[in-house]
Amino acid sequence: MQHFYIIILIPSFYRIEILENFKAIFPFAKSEPMEQFSQGCLNPLRDFDADNTLILFDTLTQFIMCDGNLRELSNKLSLHENTLRYRLEKIAHLTG
Protein backbone atom coordinates (compact mmCIF):
# COMPACT_ATOMS: atom_id res chain seq x y z
CA MET A 1 0.00 0.00 0.00
CA GLN A 2 1.28 3.46 -0.86
CA HIS A 3 1.29 6.08 1.86
CA PHE A 4 1.13 9.82 1.72
CA TYR A 5 3.44 11.32 4.31
CA ILE A 6 2.96 14.49 6.23
CA ILE A 7 6.12 15.67 7.88
CA ILE A 8 5.74 17.60 11.06
CA LEU A 9 8.94 19.41 11.98
CA ILE A 10 8.88 21.01 15.39
CA PRO A 11 12.18 21.84 17.12
CA SER A 12 13.37 18.88 19.21
CA PHE A 13 10.46 16.75 18.00
CA TYR A 14 10.31 15.18 14.58
CA ARG A 15 7.70 12.74 13.42
CA ILE A 16 6.02 11.58 10.28
CA GLU A 17 2.30 11.10 10.14
CA ILE A 18 1.08 8.58 7.60
CA LEU A 19 -2.11 9.68 5.94
CA GLU A 20 -3.78 6.43 4.87
CA ASN A 21 -6.64 8.10 3.01
CA PHE A 22 -4.51 10.05 0.57
CA LYS A 23 -6.69 8.94 -2.32
CA ALA A 24 -8.91 11.96 -1.77
CA ILE A 25 -6.09 14.36 -2.72
CA PHE A 26 -3.91 12.15 -4.92
CA PRO A 27 -5.81 12.95 -8.15
CA PHE A 28 -4.94 16.62 -7.60
CA ALA A 29 -1.19 16.01 -7.11
CA LYS A 30 -0.32 17.32 -10.58
CA SER A 31 -2.76 20.20 -10.51
CA GLU A 32 -1.47 23.77 -10.75
CA PRO A 33 -2.33 24.65 -7.11
CA MET A 34 -0.56 21.51 -5.83
CA GLU A 35 2.48 22.24 -8.01
CA GLN A 36 2.61 25.77 -6.62
CA PHE A 37 2.29 24.46 -3.07
CA SER A 38 5.07 21.92 -3.67
CA GLN A 39 7.35 24.52 -5.23
CA GLY A 40 6.63 26.91 -2.38
CA CYS A 41 7.72 24.27 0.13
CA LEU A 42 10.62 22.69 -1.70
CA ASN A 43 12.17 25.54 -3.69
CA PRO A 44 13.59 27.22 -0.56
CA LEU A 45 15.44 23.97 0.16
CA ARG A 46 16.71 23.68 -3.40
CA ASP A 47 17.81 27.33 -3.37
CA PHE A 48 19.59 26.86 -0.06
CA ASP A 49 21.34 23.72 -1.33
CA ALA A 50 22.52 25.55 -4.44
CA ASP A 51 24.31 28.11 -2.25
CA ASN A 52 25.49 25.83 0.61
CA THR A 53 26.90 22.40 1.32
CA LEU A 54 24.29 21.02 3.75
CA ILE A 55 22.24 19.17 1.10
CA LEU A 56 18.95 19.73 2.92
CA PHE A 57 16.70 18.39 0.17
CA ASP A 58 18.49 15.04 0.21
CA THR A 59 18.41 15.01 4.02
CA LEU A 60 14.65 15.52 3.95
CA THR A 61 14.17 12.84 1.31
CA GLN A 62 16.23 10.33 3.28
CA PHE A 63 14.42 11.31 6.50
CA ILE A 64 11.15 10.34 4.83
CA MET A 65 12.64 7.11 3.48
CA CYS A 66 13.76 6.21 7.04
CA ASP A 67 10.24 6.89 8.38
CA GLY A 68 11.57 9.69 10.55
CA ASN A 69 14.00 7.43 12.42
CA LEU A 70 17.01 9.60 13.26
CA ARG A 71 19.22 6.68 14.26
CA GLU A 72 18.58 4.91 10.96
CA LEU A 73 19.12 8.16 9.06
CA SER A 74 22.35 8.77 10.99
CA ASN A 75 23.66 5.34 10.00
CA LYS A 76 22.53 5.73 6.40
CA LEU A 77 24.15 9.14 5.89
CA SER A 78 27.10 8.51 8.26
CA LEU A 79 26.27 11.68 10.18
CA HIS A 80 25.85 12.33 13.90
CA GLU A 81 22.24 12.60 15.09
CA ASN A 82 22.86 16.15 16.34
CA THR A 83 24.00 17.14 12.84
CA LEU A 84 20.76 15.75 11.48
CA ARG A 85 18.74 17.58 14.13
CA TYR A 86 20.43 20.81 13.04
CA ARG A 87 19.58 20.09 9.41
CA LEU A 88 15.95 19.27 10.24
CA GLU A 89 15.62 22.48 12.22
CA LYS A 90 17.05 24.36 9.23
CA ILE A 91 14.52 22.62 6.95
CA ALA A 92 11.70 23.57 9.31
CA HIS A 93 12.90 27.19 9.33
CA LEU A 94 13.21 27.40 5.53
CA THR A 95 9.88 25.74 4.80
CA GLY A 96 7.92 27.65 7.42
Side-chain angles (χ1 to χ4, degrees):
M1 171 182 249
Q2 292 180 346
H3 298 290
F4 180 76
Y5 292 95
I6 296 178
I7 303 166
I8 301 170
L9 299 173
I10 302 169
S12 303
F13 182 70
Y14 308 100
R15 63 191 171 106
I16 294 180
E17 294 287 329
I18 299 174
L19 198 61
E20 298 287 345
N21 297 319
F22 73 95
K23 292 179 184 178
I25 62 170
F26 191 71
F28 304 103
K30 292 294 182 184
S31 70
E32 184 65 27
M34 288 299 282
E35 289 288 331
Q36 290 174 354
F37 175 77
S38 174
Q39 289 175 5
C41 288
L42 299 178
N43 280 352
L45 297 180
R46 290 184 181 120
D47 293 344
F48 183 88
D49 285 352
D51 296 333
N52 298 278
T53 59
L54 287 182
I55 314 171
L56 296 180
F57 186 80
D58 185 55
T59 301
L60 178 60
T61 302
Q62 295 302 318
F63 180 68
I64 293 167
M65 298 301 291
C66 292
D67 291 328
N69 184 319
L70 282 179
R71 180 165 290 150
E72 182 180 340
L73 181 62
S74 175
N75 291 333
K76 188 172 190 173
L77 298 180
S78 299
L79 293 170
H80 193 276
E81 287 184 30
N82 287 339
T83 300
L84 295 171
R85 284 185 184 93
Y86 170 78
R87 287 184 180 190
L88 292 170
E89 288 175 8
K90 191 72 173 170
I91 290 167
H93 174 74
L94 289 170
T95 60

